[in-house]
Amino acid sequence: MKCRHCGAELTLPLIDLGSTPPSNAYLTKEAMHAPEKWFPLRVLVCTECWLAQTEDYAGAGELFSSDYAYFSSYSTTWLQHAERYVADMVNRFGLNVNSHVIEIAANDGYLLQYVKASGIPCIGIEPTASTAAAARMKGVEVIEDFFGTRLAEQLVAEGRQADLTAANNVLAHVPDINDFVSGFARLLKPQGVATFEFPHLLRLVEQNQFDTVYHEHFSYLSLIAVTRIFERNGLRVFDVEELPTHGGSLRVFAQRWDTGNVRQRIMLLGC
């Protein structure tokens, strides 16, 4: 297998958990009588760019199907986290009724409901029909599709560039991480900001969080790897925050490379 980001051959193992069924793949009564799918679950590390990644066995279309069962709004603490995020971003970046917010992997509208309540125009990108329908019930406009450069260029052509993009716990879930990140560089306005939240690989290793390894996570992300991936695909990191969510996460702030030093870039330490 070759690295999803830089194409180098992968030889360094991180963890081998044998074989397991896909996560969130709940069985119907009829499916109980049929053979169950199991896939190898093994994570390798690229020694060129240091991206940790699951071996390719299950495709995104199979893992994120129309009856996808994970709905973010069932967690009250996650709703509180989303509400605080929206308030913080509105205050920090001066978002208002003339701004445009786009969330990638909007799920059931758990976050954009607070953007909409603030009077800020917004749309969600969500490929799973079950959660997209729930978001629409909250009055959130949703484009039911996977995100990447194709969709980003379509939105730009429609005059729908973003002042802020949010991507919470989705960066680890995309098989083509280069195309995904490049989409943000196209979608942002010149002074726009992209935020990404993802579980921190350092915490996974330090705390032996082996139960956070599953097929939906194509990547396990460190700040070093994310910074390299962003820089190769048109984004620069200018700030980062540590979060307690999901066993220890990072929130990374990025802007387009081609807009100059619009926002002050911080010194990045650690991984």
Side-chain angles (χ1 to χ4, degrees):
M1 177 178 165
K2 295 186 182 298
C3 175
R4 290 192 174 89
H5 168 55
C6 71
E9 198 71 35
L10 300 179
T11 58
L12 178 62
L14 176 65
I15 188 171
D16 187 341
L17 296 178
S19 296
T20 71
S23 58
N24 296 320
Y26 304 116
L27 300 179
T28 64
K29 185 181 296 185
E30 294 75 18
M32 292 290 289
H33 301 288
E36 186 175 12
K37 291 183 179 179
W38 287 56
F39 298 101
L41 185 52
R42 187 166 177 250
V43 178
L44 304 173
V45 181
C46 177
T47 54
E48 295 295 324
C49 68
W50 299 109
L51 177 63
Q53 50 210 282
T54 305
E55 281 187 310
D56 282 319
Y57 287 101
E62 185 168 14
L63 296 173
F64 304 105
S65 59
S66 60
D67 58 351
Y68 187 64
Y70 182 81
F71 286 69
S72 297
S73 293
Y74 279 104
S75 170
T76 55
T77 55
W78 189 243
L79 288 177
Q80 292 164 6
H81 176 80
E83 188 172 17
R84 283 194 303 271
Y85 167 86
V86 172
D88 290 346
M89 297 306 105
V90 168
N91 181 61
R92 178 171 181 178
F93 300 115
L95 303 177
N96 54 46
V97 295
N98 298 313
S99 305
H100 190 214
V101 175
I102 299 179
E103 185 185 14
I104 313 304
N107 199 266
D108 60 5
Y110 75 99
L111 184 146
L112 289 182
Q113 63 182 334
Y114 301 115
V115 178
K116 183 177 174 63
S118 298
I120 300 169
C122 59
I123 57 174
I125 311 298
E126 175 52 55
T128 62
S130 54
T131 59
R136 294 188 184 104
M137 291 292 290
K138 295 181 173 75
V140 175
E141 180 186 353
V142 179
I143 297 173
E144 203 169 305
D145 201 351
F146 286 99
F147 182 74
T149 54
R150 173 192 56 80
L151 182 54
E153 288 169 354
Q154 176 186 318
L155 290 168
V156 171
E158 295 171 358
R160 306 182 85 175
Q161 282 184 285
D163 296 277
L164 174 71
T165 60
N168 290 346
N169 299 304
V170 62
L171 189 59
H173 291 251
V174 293
D176 190 345
I177 198 165
N178 291 322
D179 180 71
F180 184 77
V181 173
S182 292
F184 289 87
R186 289 164 169 78
L187 185 59
L188 287 175
K189 293 180 181 178
Q191 296 189 10
V193 172
T195 69
F196 301 81
E197 294 182 21
F198 50 85
H200 193 187
L201 176 62
L202 180 62
R203 303 295 168 236
L204 185 157
V205 173
E206 285 182 337
Q207 301 174 22
N208 194 27
Q209 296 172 353
F210 64 89
D211 54 341
T212 65
V213 176
Y214 59 109
H215 295 104
E216 279 184 27
H217 280 173
F218 290 92
S219 301
Y220 301 84
L221 299 159
S222 65
L223 185 57
I224 289 174
V226 165
T227 300
R228 290 177 175 175
I229 292 166
F230 282 17
E231 289 181 351
R232 182 174 290 189
N233 290 290
L235 295 179
R236 77 168 93 211
V237 174
F238 68 86
D239 201 1
V240 61
E241 298 174 354
E242 289 189 293
L243 305 172
T245 53
H246 296 278
S249 297
L250 294 181
R251 176 184 290 157
V252 168
F253 296 77
Q255 65 185 94
R256 286 168 39 176
W257 258 116
D258 63 1
T259 55
N261 218 2
V262 177
R263 303 186 186 277
Q264 184 177 0
R265 190 177 185 187
I266 66 167
M267 294 298 294
L268 298 175
L269 303 175
C271 61

